[in-house]
Amino acid sequence: MRDLFIFGDSILKGVYFSDECGKHKLVREQYAPLEEAGFCLHNHSLMGATVDAGLAALQKRCASIPTGENSPVILLEFGGNDCDYRWEEISASPDSIHEPKTPMEKFRNFYGQLIEYARSFGAKVYLCNLVPLDAPRYMEWISRNLDKDAILRWLGDPSMLYRWQEYYNRTAEQIAAAFSCPLIDIRSLFLMSHSYSGLLSTDGIHPTVEGHRLIGEKIAGCLV
């Protein structure tokens, strides 16, 4: 049995939005194919996590990560929260300058540190790219109880939400290539699907239960 440590955000945590319950919930069977293949899973992903939080989480868990002949696989997935903004601040002051939660230079730097630290355990490090968001739905989600017109004035158009996330996604893919990390392309699963709308929750950013099933199968197919 080989250890698999996952450090990411709510996507690899298995979070989806339940319309029935009106809140975010977890898909607990997302990684069943990996467990059936003999992996011992340690999922330290956190909702809202950015790449610097991922580095801190890995450092906190370092004592539990085996080294030597029993070196694990470490899977990383960041960028979705890093590229996000503090929408309440934008709503209140749309004509001001606003920075994303993790500016791009910092994103590149921390991701590189995270990969190098993961490799210090002798681990095989994989990266996931980002699940694409649905801009119209996400626009409605982020503007709840805020000034939607002000947010839209700052954005320019709703599709900027998609383009900006794609910018961080491409950077994550470039980082994987620069550090020679195998990339698990979960993004294409969604982009190529004729059921794209049904693979994303009503918040426009978290996969549905079916979307998470596809992610789990893709990761298992790349690691097994």
Side-chain angles (χ1 to χ4, degrees), residues 148-185:
K148 182 179 178 180
D149 290 337
I151 293 174
L152 185 58
R153 185 164 87 245
W154 182 82
L155 282 170
D157 65 271
S159 65
M160 182 60 186
L161 292 165
Y162 181 93
R163 298 196 305 274
W164 186 247
Q165 193 224 30
E166 174 61 15
Y167 173 47
Y168 272 68
N169 175 71
R170 291 189 64 183
T171 300
E173 293 175 346
Q174 291 165 0
I175 290 169
F179 284 86
S180 300
C181 293
L183 179 72
I184 300 179
D185 182 14

PDB file of all heavy atoms in Angstrom, residues 148-185:
ATOM      1  N   LYS A 148     -24.006  44.355  -7.438  1.00  0.00           N
ATOM      2  CA  LYS A 148     -23.615  43.626  -8.651  1.00  0.00           C
ATOM      3  C   LYS A 148     -23.133  44.576  -9.748  1.00  0.00           C
ATOM      4  O   LYS A 148     -22.152  44.286 -10.447  1.00  0.00           O
ATOM      5  CB  LYS A 148     -24.795  42.792  -9.148  1.00  0.00           C
ATOM      6  CG  LYS A 148     -24.480  41.964 -10.388  1.00  0.00           C
ATOM      7  CD  LYS A 148     -25.695  41.151 -10.813  1.00  0.00           C
ATOM      8  CE  LYS A 148     -25.409  40.364 -12.074  1.00  0.00           C
ATOM      9  NZ  LYS A 148     -26.587  39.565 -12.499  1.00  0.00           N
ATOM     10  N   ASP A 149     -23.805  45.713  -9.910  1.00  0.00           N
ATOM     11  CA  ASP A 149     -23.414  46.665 -10.956  1.00  0.00           C
ATOM     12  C   ASP A 149     -22.015  47.216 -10.701  1.00  0.00           C
ATOM     13  O   ASP A 149     -21.240  47.430 -11.637  1.00  0.00           O
ATOM     14  CB  ASP A 149     -24.416  47.808 -11.041  1.00  0.00           C
ATOM     15  CG  ASP A 149     -25.763  47.357 -11.608  1.00  0.00           C
ATOM     16  OD1 ASP A 149     -25.791  46.337 -12.313  1.00  0.00           O
ATOM     17  OD2 ASP A 149     -26.779  48.026 -11.331  1.00  0.00           O
ATOM     18  N   ALA A 150     -21.684  47.447  -9.427  1.00  0.00           N
ATOM     19  CA  ALA A 150     -20.353  47.946  -9.090  1.00  0.00           C
ATOM     20  C   ALA A 150     -19.287  46.902  -9.403  1.00  0.00           C
ATOM     21  O   ALA A 150     -18.227  47.221  -9.957  1.00  0.00           O
ATOM     22  CB  ALA A 150     -20.299  48.331  -7.613  1.00  0.00           C
ATOM     23  N   ILE A 151     -19.559  45.649  -9.053  1.00  0.00           N
ATOM     24  CA  ILE A 151     -18.613  44.567  -9.348  1.00  0.00           C
ATOM     25  C   ILE A 151     -18.431  44.420 -10.855  1.00  0.00           C
ATOM     26  O   ILE A 151     -17.309  44.271 -11.358  1.00  0.00           O
ATOM     27  CB  ILE A 151     -19.093  43.241  -8.720  1.00  0.00           C
ATOM     28  CG1 ILE A 151     -19.052  43.337  -7.194  1.00  0.00           C
ATOM     29  CG2 ILE A 151     -18.238  42.068  -9.201  1.00  0.00           C
ATOM     30  CD1 ILE A 151     -19.647  42.141  -6.480  1.00  0.00           C
ATOM     31  N   LEU A 152     -19.529  44.493 -11.590  1.00  0.00           N
ATOM     32  CA  LEU A 152     -19.470  44.364 -13.039  1.00  0.00           C
ATOM     33  C   LEU A 152     -18.706  45.528 -13.663  1.00  0.00           C
ATOM     34  O   LEU A 152     -17.957  45.348 -14.630  1.00  0.00           O
ATOM     35  CB  LEU A 152     -20.886  44.294 -13.610  1.00  0.00           C
ATOM     36  CG  LEU A 152     -21.007  44.039 -15.111  1.00  0.00           C
ATOM     37  CD1 LEU A 152     -20.305  42.734 -15.489  1.00  0.00           C
ATOM     38  CD2 LEU A 152     -22.475  43.998 -15.517  1.00  0.00           C
ATOM     39  N   ARG A 153     -18.867  46.723 -13.108  1.00  0.00           N
ATOM     40  CA  ARG A 153     -18.126  47.879 -13.614  1.00  0.00           C
ATOM     41  C   ARG A 153     -16.624  47.669 -13.438  1.00  0.00           C
ATOM     42  O   ARG A 153     -15.831  48.000 -14.323  1.00  0.00           O
ATOM     43  CB  ARG A 153     -18.570  49.155 -12.882  1.00  0.00           C
ATOM     44  CG  ARG A 153     -17.916  50.417 -13.450  1.00  0.00           C
ATOM     45  CD  ARG A 153     -18.616  51.671 -13.013  1.00  0.00           C
ATOM     46  NE  ARG A 153     -18.135  52.169 -11.733  1.00  0.00           N
ATOM     47  CZ  ARG A 153     -18.866  52.241 -10.638  1.00  0.00           C
ATOM     48  NH1 ARG A 153     -20.136  51.824 -10.648  1.00  0.00           N
ATOM     49  NH2 ARG A 153     -18.377  52.722  -9.515  1.00  0.00           N
ATOM     50  N   TRP A 154     -16.230  47.082 -12.319  1.00  0.00           N
ATOM     51  CA  TRP A 154     -14.809  46.824 -12.087  1.00  0.00           C
ATOM     52  C   TRP A 154     -14.294  45.715 -13.000  1.00  0.00           C
ATOM     53  O   TRP A 154     -13.194  45.811 -13.553  1.00  0.00           O
ATOM     54  CB  TRP A 154     -14.585  46.441 -10.621  1.00  0.00           C
ATOM     55  CG  TRP A 154     -13.137  46.204 -10.304  1.00  0.00           C
ATOM     56  CD1 TRP A 154     -12.191  47.138 -10.015  1.00  0.00           C
ATOM     57  CD2 TRP A 154     -12.464  44.939 -10.280  1.00  0.00           C
ATOM     58  NE1 TRP A 154     -10.963  46.541  -9.814  1.00  0.00           N
ATOM     59  CE2 TRP A 154     -11.115  45.189  -9.972  1.00  0.00           C
ATOM     60  CE3 TRP A 154     -12.880  43.629 -10.488  1.00  0.00           C
ATOM     61  CZ2 TRP A 154     -10.164  44.165  -9.867  1.00  0.00           C
ATOM     62  CZ3 TRP A 154     -11.938  42.611 -10.385  1.00  0.00           C
ATOM     63  CH2 TRP A 154     -10.603  42.885 -10.073  1.00  0.00           C
ATOM     64  N   LEU A 155     -15.096  44.663 -13.193  1.00  0.00           N
ATOM     65  CA  LEU A 155     -14.682  43.541 -14.036  1.00  0.00           C
ATOM     66  C   LEU A 155     -14.572  43.937 -15.497  1.00  0.00           C
ATOM     67  O   LEU A 155     -13.677  43.495 -16.217  1.00  0.00           O
ATOM     68  CB  LEU A 155     -15.688  42.395 -13.916  1.00  0.00           C
ATOM     69  CG  LEU A 155     -15.627  41.510 -12.680  1.00  0.00           C
ATOM     70  CD1 LEU A 155     -16.842  40.592 -12.637  1.00  0.00           C
ATOM     71  CD2 LEU A 155     -14.344  40.697 -12.647  1.00  0.00           C
ATOM     72  N   GLY A 156     -15.504  44.734 -15.967  1.00  0.00           N
ATOM     73  CA  GLY A 156     -15.599  45.054 -17.386  1.00  0.00           C
ATOM     74  C   GLY A 156     -16.675  44.219 -18.056  1.00  0.00           C
ATOM     75  O   GLY A 156     -17.528  44.733 -18.758  1.00  0.00           O
ATOM     76  N   ASP A 157     -16.619  42.914 -17.863  1.00  0.00           N
ATOM     77  CA  ASP A 157     -17.661  42.004 -18.338  1.00  0.00           C
ATOM     78  C   ASP A 157     -17.545  40.712 -17.543  1.00  0.00           C
ATOM     79  O   ASP A 157     -16.473  40.385 -17.028  1.00  0.00           O
ATOM     80  CB  ASP A 157     -17.531  41.739 -19.847  1.00  0.00           C
ATOM     81  CG  ASP A 157     -16.248  41.006 -20.183  1.00  0.00           C
ATOM     82  OD1 ASP A 157     -15.214  41.679 -20.414  1.00  0.00           O
ATOM     83  OD2 ASP A 157     -16.264  39.758 -20.206  1.00  0.00           O
ATOM     84  N   PRO A 158     -18.649  39.944 -17.404  1.00  0.00           N
ATOM     85  CA  PRO A 158     -18.618  38.742 -16.567  1.00  0.00           C
ATOM     86  C   PRO A 158     -17.603  37.698 -17.006  1.00  0.00           C
ATOM     87  O   PRO A 158     -17.063  36.966 -16.182  1.00  0.00           O
ATOM     88  CB  PRO A 158     -20.051  38.195 -16.684  1.00  0.00           C
ATOM     89  CG  PRO A 158     -20.887  39.377 -17.033  1.00  0.00           C
ATOM     90  CD  PRO A 158     -20.012  40.240 -17.902  1.00  0.00           C
ATOM     91  N   SER A 159     -17.322  37.622 -18.313  1.00  0.00           N
ATOM     92  CA  SER A 159     -16.378  36.604 -18.791  1.00  0.00           C
ATOM     93  C   SER A 159     -14.956  36.845 -18.299  1.00  0.00           C
ATOM     94  O   SER A 159     -14.097  35.971 -18.399  1.00  0.00           O
ATOM     95  CB  SER A 159     -16.406  36.516 -20.316  1.00  0.00           C
ATOM     96  OG  SER A 159     -15.941  37.720 -20.902  1.00  0.00           O
ATOM     97  N   MET A 160     -14.694  38.045 -17.761  1.00  0.00           N
ATOM     98  CA  MET A 160     -13.388  38.305 -17.166  1.00  0.00           C
ATOM     99  C   MET A 160     -13.118  37.334 -16.027  1.00  0.00           C
ATOM    100  O   MET A 160     -11.964  36.981 -15.765  1.00  0.00           O
ATOM    101  CB  MET A 160     -13.313  39.754 -16.663  1.00  0.00           C
ATOM    102  CG  MET A 160     -11.963  40.138 -16.058  1.00  0.00           C
ATOM    103  SD  MET A 160     -10.618  39.958 -17.258  1.00  0.00           S
ATOM    104  CE  MET A 160      -9.190  40.279 -16.234  1.00  0.00           C
ATOM    105  N   LEU A 161     -14.170  36.883 -15.351  1.00  0.00           N
ATOM    106  CA  LEU A 161     -14.001  35.903 -14.280  1.00  0.00           C
ATOM    107  C   LEU A 161     -13.367  34.633 -14.824  1.00  0.00           C
ATOM    108  O   LEU A 161     -12.450  34.070 -14.211  1.00  0.00           O
ATOM    109  CB  LEU A 161     -15.360  35.574 -13.650  1.00  0.00           C
ATOM    110  CG  LEU A 161     -16.032  36.693 -12.865  1.00  0.00           C
ATOM    111  CD1 LEU A 161     -17.495  36.361 -12.623  1.00  0.00           C
ATOM    112  CD2 LEU A 161     -15.298  36.939 -11.550  1.00  0.00           C
ATOM    113  N   TYR A 162     -13.841  34.169 -15.980  1.00  0.00           N
ATOM    114  CA  TYR A 162     -13.278  32.971 -16.603  1.00  0.00           C
ATOM    115  C   TYR A 162     -11.857  33.230 -17.088  1.00  0.00           C
ATOM    116  O   TYR A 162     -10.951  32.407 -16.864  1.00  0.00           O
ATOM    117  CB  TYR A 162     -14.157  32.524 -17.775  1.00  0.00           C
ATOM    118  CG  TYR A 162     -13.635  31.278 -18.451  1.00  0.00           C
ATOM    119  CD1 TYR A 162     -14.075  30.021 -18.063  1.00  0.00           C
ATOM    120  CD2 TYR A 162     -12.685  31.358 -19.467  1.00  0.00           C
ATOM    121  CE1 TYR A 162     -13.581  28.878 -18.670  1.00  0.00           C
ATOM    122  CE2 TYR A 162     -12.188  30.228 -20.071  1.00  0.00           C
ATOM    123  CZ  TYR A 162     -12.630  28.986 -19.675  1.00  0.00           C
ATOM    124  OH  TYR A 162     -12.124  27.857 -20.269  1.00  0.00           O
ATOM    125  N   ARG A 163     -11.632  34.358 -17.757  1.00  0.00           N
ATOM    126  CA  ARG A 163     -10.324  34.644 -18.334  1.00  0.00           C
ATOM    127  C   ARG A 163      -9.262  34.755 -17.247  1.00  0.00           C
ATOM    128  O   ARG A 163      -8.124  34.282 -17.412  1.00  0.00           O
ATOM    129  CB  ARG A 163     -10.374  35.929 -19.168  1.00  0.00           C
ATOM    130  CG  ARG A 163     -11.315  35.846 -20.355  1.00  0.00           C
ATOM    131  CD  ARG A 163     -11.056  36.955 -21.355  1.00  0.00           C
ATOM    132  NE  ARG A 163     -11.116  38.295 -20.787  1.00  0.00           N
ATOM    133  CZ  ARG A 163     -12.245  38.997 -20.660  1.00  0.00           C
ATOM    134  NH1 ARG A 163     -13.412  38.473 -21.024  1.00  0.00           N
ATOM    135  NH2 ARG A 163     -12.220  40.227 -20.182  1.00  0.00           N
ATOM    136  N   TRP A 164      -9.616  35.397 -16.142  1.00  0.00           N
ATOM    137  CA  TRP A 164      -8.644  35.585 -15.059  1.00  0.00           C
ATOM    138  C   TRP A 164      -8.279  34.244 -14.429  1.00  0.00           C
ATOM    139  O   TRP A 164      -7.116  33.974 -14.151  1.00  0.00           O
ATOM    140  CB  TRP A 164      -9.212  36.531 -14.019  1.00  0.00           C
ATOM    141  CG  TRP A 164      -8.241  36.895 -12.930  1.00  0.00           C
ATOM    142  CD1 TRP A 164      -8.320  36.546 -11.614  1.00  0.00           C
ATOM    143  CD2 TRP A 164      -7.051  37.673 -13.061  1.00  0.00           C
ATOM    144  NE1 TRP A 164      -7.258  37.061 -10.906  1.00  0.00           N
ATOM    145  CE2 TRP A 164      -6.454  37.765 -11.782  1.00  0.00           C
ATOM    146  CE3 TRP A 164      -6.422  38.311 -14.140  1.00  0.00           C
ATOM    147  CZ2 TRP A 164      -5.264  38.448 -11.554  1.00  0.00           C
ATOM    148  CZ3 TRP A 164      -5.236  39.008 -13.900  1.00  0.00           C
ATOM    149  CH2 TRP A 164      -4.680  39.057 -12.626  1.00  0.00           C
ATOM    150  N   GLN A 165      -9.280  33.385 -14.225  1.00  0.00           N
ATOM    151  CA  GLN A 165      -8.974  32.065 -13.686  1.00  0.00           C
ATOM    152  C   GLN A 165      -8.135  31.259 -14.676  1.00  0.00           C
ATOM    153  O   GLN A 165      -7.239  30.507 -14.285  1.00  0.00           O
ATOM    154  CB  GLN A 165     -10.270  31.310 -13.356  1.00  0.00           C
ATOM    155  CG  GLN A 165     -10.033  30.067 -12.498  1.00  0.00           C
ATOM    156  CD  GLN A 165     -10.826  28.870 -12.963  1.00  0.00           C
ATOM    157  OE1 GLN A 165     -11.122  28.714 -14.147  1.00  0.00           O
ATOM    158  NE2 GLN A 165     -11.171  28.023 -12.017  1.00  0.00           N
ATOM    159  N   GLU A 166      -8.399  31.412 -15.964  1.00  0.00           N
ATOM    160  CA  GLU A 166      -7.609  30.713 -16.982  1.00  0.00           C
ATOM    161  C   GLU A 166      -6.154  31.162 -16.951  1.00  0.00           C
ATOM    162  O   GLU A 166      -5.240  30.363 -17.175  1.00  0.00           O
ATOM    163  CB  GLU A 166      -8.213  30.961 -18.370  1.00  0.00           C
ATOM    164  CG  GLU A 166      -7.398  30.414 -19.526  1.00  0.00           C
ATOM    165  CD  GLU A 166      -7.210  28.903 -19.505  1.00  0.00           C
ATOM    166  OE1 GLU A 166      -7.943  28.203 -18.761  1.00  0.00           O
ATOM    167  OE2 GLU A 166      -6.325  28.412 -20.225  1.00  0.00           O
ATOM    168  N   TYR A 167      -5.936  32.431 -16.658  1.00  0.00           N
ATOM    169  CA  TYR A 167      -4.564  32.958 -16.525  1.00  0.00           C
ATOM    170  C   TYR A 167      -3.816  32.224 -15.414  1.00  0.00           C
ATOM    171  O   TYR A 167      -2.669  31.801 -15.593  1.00  0.00           O
ATOM    172  CB  TYR A 167      -4.663  34.457 -16.242  1.00  0.00           C
ATOM    173  CG  TYR A 167      -3.366  35.161 -15.906  1.00  0.00           C
ATOM    174  CD1 TYR A 167      -2.207  34.976 -16.656  1.00  0.00           C
ATOM    175  CD2 TYR A 167      -3.309  36.060 -14.826  1.00  0.00           C
ATOM    176  CE1 TYR A 167      -1.039  35.658 -16.347  1.00  0.00           C
ATOM    177  CE2 TYR A 167      -2.148  36.737 -14.514  1.00  0.00           C
ATOM    178  CZ  TYR A 167      -1.015  36.531 -15.274  1.00  0.00           C
ATOM    179  OH  TYR A 167       0.144  37.188 -14.958  1.00  0.00           O
ATOM    180  N   TYR A 168      -4.446  32.022 -14.281  1.00  0.00           N
ATOM    181  CA  TYR A 168      -3.813  31.294 -13.182  1.00  0.00           C
ATOM    182  C   TYR A 168      -3.693  29.808 -13.515  1.00  0.00           C
ATOM    183  O   TYR A 168      -2.710  29.160 -13.155  1.00  0.00           O
ATOM    184  CB  TYR A 168      -4.591  31.500 -11.883  1.00  0.00           C
ATOM    185  CG  TYR A 168      -4.146  32.731 -11.123  1.00  0.00           C
ATOM    186  CD1 TYR A 168      -4.383  34.016 -11.617  1.00  0.00           C
ATOM    187  CD2 TYR A 168      -3.464  32.624  -9.913  1.00  0.00           C
ATOM    188  CE1 TYR A 168      -3.967  35.146 -10.937  1.00  0.00           C
ATOM    189  CE2 TYR A 168      -3.043  33.749  -9.226  1.00  0.00           C
ATOM    190  CZ  TYR A 168      -3.294  35.014  -9.745  1.00  0.00           C
ATOM    191  OH  TYR A 168      -2.865  36.130  -9.067  1.00  0.00           O
ATOM    192  N   ASN A 169      -4.682  29.276 -14.225  1.00  0.00           N
ATOM    193  CA  ASN A 169      -4.593  27.873 -14.622  1.00  0.00           C
ATOM    194  C   ASN A 169      -3.400  27.635 -15.543  1.00  0.00           C
ATOM    195  O   ASN A 169      -2.633  26.677 -15.360  1.00  0.00           O
ATOM    196  CB  ASN A 169      -5.879  27.462 -15.339  1.00  0.00           C
ATOM    197  CG  ASN A 169      -5.796  26.047 -15.870  1.00  0.00           C
ATOM    198  OD1 ASN A 169      -5.818  25.087 -15.109  1.00  0.00           O
ATOM    199  ND2 ASN A 169      -5.683  25.898 -17.179  1.00  0.00           N
ATOM    200  N   ARG A 170      -3.230  28.493 -16.517  1.00  0.00           N
ATOM    201  CA  ARG A 170      -2.095  28.342 -17.436  1.00  0.00           C
ATOM    202  C   ARG A 170      -0.777  28.482 -16.694  1.00  0.00           C
ATOM    203  O   ARG A 170       0.201  27.781 -16.996  1.00  0.00           O
ATOM    204  CB  ARG A 170      -2.181  29.377 -18.564  1.00  0.00           C
ATOM    205  CG  ARG A 170      -3.320  29.125 -19.533  1.00  0.00           C
ATOM    206  CD  ARG A 170      -3.240  30.041 -20.734  1.00  0.00           C
ATOM    207  NE  ARG A 170      -2.031  29.775 -21.521  1.00  0.00           N
ATOM    208  CZ  ARG A 170      -1.693  30.475 -22.604  1.00  0.00           C
ATOM    209  NH1 ARG A 170      -2.455  31.485 -23.010  1.00  0.00           N
ATOM    210  NH2 ARG A 170      -0.608  30.180 -23.279  1.00  0.00           N
ATOM    211  N   THR A 171      -0.741  29.364 -15.720  1.00  0.00           N
ATOM    212  CA  THR A 171       0.480  29.515 -14.929  1.00  0.00           C
ATOM    213  C   THR A 171       0.768  28.252 -14.134  1.00  0.00           C
ATOM    214  O   THR A 171       1.918  27.802 -14.051  1.00  0.00           O
ATOM    215  CB  THR A 171       0.367  30.731 -13.994  1.00  0.00           C
ATOM    216  OG1 THR A 171       0.160  31.910 -14.778  1.00  0.00           O
ATOM    217  CG2 THR A 171       1.632  30.898 -13.163  1.00  0.00           C
ATOM    218  N   ALA A 172      -0.268  27.650 -13.531  1.00  0.00           N
ATOM    219  CA  ALA A 172      -0.071  26.396 -12.797  1.00  0.00           C
ATOM    220  C   ALA A 172       0.467  25.309 -13.726  1.00  0.00           C
ATOM    221  O   ALA A 172       1.364  24.532 -13.344  1.00  0.00           O
ATOM    222  CB  ALA A 172      -1.381  25.951 -12.163  1.00  0.00           C
ATOM    223  N   GLU A 173      -0.031  25.253 -14.953  1.00  0.00           N
ATOM    224  CA  GLU A 173       0.461  24.272 -15.917  1.00  0.00           C
ATOM    225  C   GLU A 173       1.913  24.559 -16.293  1.00  0.00           C
ATOM    226  O   GLU A 173       2.725  23.627 -16.448  1.00  0.00           O
ATOM    227  CB  GLU A 173      -0.428  24.296 -17.156  1.00  0.00           C
ATOM    228  CG  GLU A 173      -1.853  23.806 -16.893  1.00  0.00           C
ATOM    229  CD  GLU A 173      -2.764  23.945 -18.089  1.00  0.00           C
ATOM    230  OE1 GLU A 173      -2.393  24.657 -19.052  1.00  0.00           O
ATOM    231  OE2 GLU A 173      -3.858  23.350 -18.058  1.00  0.00           O
ATOM    232  N   GLN A 174       2.245  25.826 -16.420  1.00  0.00           N
ATOM    233  CA  GLN A 174       3.628  26.194 -16.732  1.00  0.00           C
ATOM    234  C   GLN A 174       4.570  25.840 -15.578  1.00  0.00           C
ATOM    235  O   GLN A 174       5.710  25.404 -15.797  1.00  0.00           O
ATOM    236  CB  GLN A 174       3.708  27.688 -17.044  1.00  0.00           C
ATOM    237  CG  GLN A 174       3.030  28.083 -18.349  1.00  0.00           C
ATOM    238  CD  GLN A 174       2.791  29.575 -18.471  1.00  0.00           C
ATOM    239  OE1 GLN A 174       3.124  30.353 -17.566  1.00  0.00           O
ATOM    240  NE2 GLN A 174       2.186  29.995 -19.573  1.00  0.00           N
ATOM    241  N   ILE A 175       4.096  26.016 -14.352  1.00  0.00           N
ATOM    242  CA  ILE A 175       4.898  25.655 -13.184  1.00  0.00           C
ATOM    243  C   ILE A 175       5.140  24.146 -13.175  1.00  0.00           C
ATOM    244  O   ILE A 175       6.261  23.685 -12.902  1.00  0.00           O
ATOM    245  CB  ILE A 175       4.200  26.116 -11.891  1.00  0.00           C
ATOM    246  CG1 ILE A 175       4.224  27.642 -11.794  1.00  0.00           C
ATOM    247  CG2 ILE A 175       4.864  25.494 -10.656  1.00  0.00           C
ATOM    248  CD1 ILE A 175       3.333  28.206 -10.700  1.00  0.00           C
ATOM    249  N   ALA A 176       4.114  23.372 -13.470  1.00  0.00           N
ATOM    250  CA  ALA A 176       4.283  21.913 -13.533  1.00  0.00           C
ATOM    251  C   ALA A 176       5.349  21.545 -14.552  1.00  0.00           C
ATOM    252  O   ALA A 176       6.218  20.704 -14.280  1.00  0.00           O
ATOM    253  CB  ALA A 176       2.949  21.252 -13.896  1.00  0.00           C
ATOM    254  N   ALA A 177       5.323  22.178 -15.717  1.00  0.00           N
ATOM    255  CA  ALA A 177       6.316  21.890 -16.753  1.00  0.00           C
ATOM    256  C   ALA A 177       7.708  22.329 -16.319  1.00  0.00           C
ATOM    257  O   ALA A 177       8.695  21.610 -16.525  1.00  0.00           O
ATOM    258  CB  ALA A 177       5.924  22.580 -18.056  1.00  0.00           C
ATOM    259  N   ALA A 178       7.812  23.500 -15.697  1.00  0.00           N
ATOM    260  CA  ALA A 178       9.107  24.023 -15.285  1.00  0.00           C
ATOM    261  C   ALA A 178       9.779  23.136 -14.242  1.00  0.00           C
ATOM    262  O   ALA A 178      11.013  23.012 -14.216  1.00  0.00           O
ATOM    263  CB  ALA A 178       8.949  25.444 -14.739  1.00  0.00           C
ATOM    264  N   PHE A 179       8.980  22.521 -13.381  1.00  0.00           N
ATOM    265  CA  PHE A 179       9.515  21.653 -12.328  1.00  0.00           C
ATOM    266  C   PHE A 179       9.429  20.171 -12.693  1.00  0.00           C
ATOM    267  O   PHE A 179       9.687  19.314 -11.851  1.00  0.00           O
ATOM    268  CB  PHE A 179       8.782  21.920 -11.016  1.00  0.00           C
ATOM    269  CG  PHE A 179       9.200  23.185 -10.327  1.00  0.00           C
ATOM    270  CD1 PHE A 179       8.609  24.396 -10.663  1.00  0.00           C
ATOM    271  CD2 PHE A 179      10.190  23.185  -9.356  1.00  0.00           C
ATOM    272  CE1 PHE A 179       8.990  25.582 -10.034  1.00  0.00           C
ATOM    273  CE2 PHE A 179      10.586  24.357  -8.723  1.00  0.00           C
ATOM    274  CZ  PHE A 179       9.984  25.564  -9.063  1.00  0.00           C
ATOM    275  N   SER A 180       9.074  19.889 -13.942  1.00  0.00           N
ATOM    276  CA  SER A 180       8.975  18.507 -14.431  1.00  0.00           C
ATOM    277  C   SER A 180       8.052  17.658 -13.571  1.00  0.00           C
ATOM    278  O   SER A 180       8.348  16.496 -13.261  1.00  0.00           O
ATOM    279  CB  SER A 180      10.371  17.861 -14.514  1.00  0.00           C
ATOM    280  OG  SER A 180      11.204  18.582 -15.394  1.00  0.00           O
ATOM    281  N   CYS A 181       6.925  18.245 -13.165  1.00  0.00           N
ATOM    282  CA  CYS A 181       5.908  17.515 -12.411  1.00  0.00           C
ATOM    283  C   CYS A 181       4.837  17.005 -13.374  1.00  0.00           C
ATOM    284  O   CYS A 181       4.330  17.782 -14.190  1.00  0.00           O
ATOM    285  CB  CYS A 181       5.233  18.423 -11.382  1.00  0.00           C
ATOM    286  SG  CYS A 181       6.283  18.982 -10.045  1.00  0.00           S
ATOM    287  N   PRO A 182       4.477  15.739 -13.299  1.00  0.00           N
ATOM    288  CA  PRO A 182       3.368  15.263 -14.130  1.00  0.00           C
ATOM    289  C   PRO A 182       2.100  16.061 -13.827  1.00  0.00           C
ATOM    290  O   PRO A 182       1.778  16.315 -12.666  1.00  0.00           O
ATOM    291  CB  PRO A 182       3.212  13.795 -13.698  1.00  0.00           C
ATOM    292  CG  PRO A 182       4.529  13.419 -13.112  1.00  0.00           C
ATOM    293  CD  PRO A 182       5.056  14.668 -12.464  1.00  0.00           C
ATOM    294  N   LEU A 183       1.403  16.465 -14.884  1.00  0.00           N
ATOM    295  CA  LEU A 183       0.184  17.256 -14.740  1.00  0.00           C
ATOM    296  C   LEU A 183      -1.030  16.364 -14.959  1.00  0.00           C
ATOM    297  O   LEU A 183      -1.134  15.679 -15.986  1.00  0.00           O
ATOM    298  CB  LEU A 183       0.169  18.403 -15.749  1.00  0.00           C
ATOM    299  CG  LEU A 183      -1.074  19.294 -15.713  1.00  0.00           C
ATOM    300  CD1 LEU A 183      -1.075  20.177 -14.471  1.00  0.00           C
ATOM    301  CD2 LEU A 183      -1.159  20.149 -16.992  1.00  0.00           C
ATOM    302  N   ILE A 184      -1.944  16.372 -14.003  1.00  0.00           N
ATOM    303  CA  ILE A 184      -3.211  15.659 -14.152  1.00  0.00           C
ATOM    304  C   ILE A 184      -4.239  16.661 -14.665  1.00  0.00           C
ATOM    305  O   ILE A 184      -4.620  17.593 -13.957  1.00  0.00           O
ATOM    306  CB  ILE A 184      -3.652  15.027 -12.819  1.00  0.00           C
ATOM    307  CG1 ILE A 184      -2.594  14.024 -12.341  1.00  0.00           C
ATOM    308  CG2 ILE A 184      -4.999  14.336 -12.990  1.00  0.00           C
ATOM    309  CD1 ILE A 184      -2.917  13.361 -11.015  1.00  0.00           C
ATOM    310  N   ASP A 185      -4.653  16.478 -15.893  1.00  0.00           N
ATOM    311  CA  ASP A 185      -5.488  17.459 -16.583  1.00  0.00           C
ATOM    312  C   ASP A 185      -6.966  17.199 -16.304  1.00  0.00           C
ATOM    313  O   ASP A 185      -7.667  16.575 -17.097  1.00  0.00           O
ATOM    314  CB  ASP A 185      -5.200  17.398 -18.080  1.00  0.00           C
ATOM    315  CG  ASP A 185      -6.003  18.417 -18.877  1.00  0.00           C
ATOM    316  OD1 ASP A 185      -6.572  19.345 -18.258  1.00  0.00           O
ATOM    317  OD2 ASP A 185      -6.056  18.276 -20.121  1.00  0.00           O
TER     318      ASP A 185
END
